[in-house]
Amino acid sequence: MGVTRLKRKDRKNKTTSRLEVQHLKLATNLEPGSRSKQSTKDQLAKNNAVLAELSKAL
């Protein structure tokens, strides 16, 4: 079975989407703002509080 070549538009889309994914992976820093503040009701915050209490008990 022969290898099919992508058309120019599809090659461009493939490259563009790969670069966009790479950009999103690199952009992991959170900007300070209301959306990036961690809620106290968040499960992660609750877990951290429990772990802090356990580490104090030891």
Side-chain angles (χ1 to χ4, degrees):
M1 190 166 161
V3 177
T4 59
R5 284 186 49 110
L6 294 172
K7 292 186 176 176
R8 180 178 290 155
K9 180 180 71 172
D10 294 329
R11 282 200 310 260
K12 179 184 175 294
N13 287 341
K14 178 182 173 185
T15 307
T16 309
S17 64
R18 182 177 54 81
L19 291 175
E20 284 177 356
V21 167
Q22 184 179 7
H23 175 71
L24 289 174
K25 284 182 180 177
L26 292 175
T28 55
N29 56 339
L30 287 175
E31 295 181 8
S34 60
R35 290 183 62 119
S36 64
K37 290 180 183 165
Q38 189 174 7
S39 171
T40 56
K41 299 175 186 171
D42 189 12
Q43 186 63 44
L44 190 61
K46 292 177 184 176
N47 292 349
N48 288 338
V50 169
L51 288 174
E53 286 181 27
L54 288 175
S55 65
K56 285 180 187 176
L58 295 176

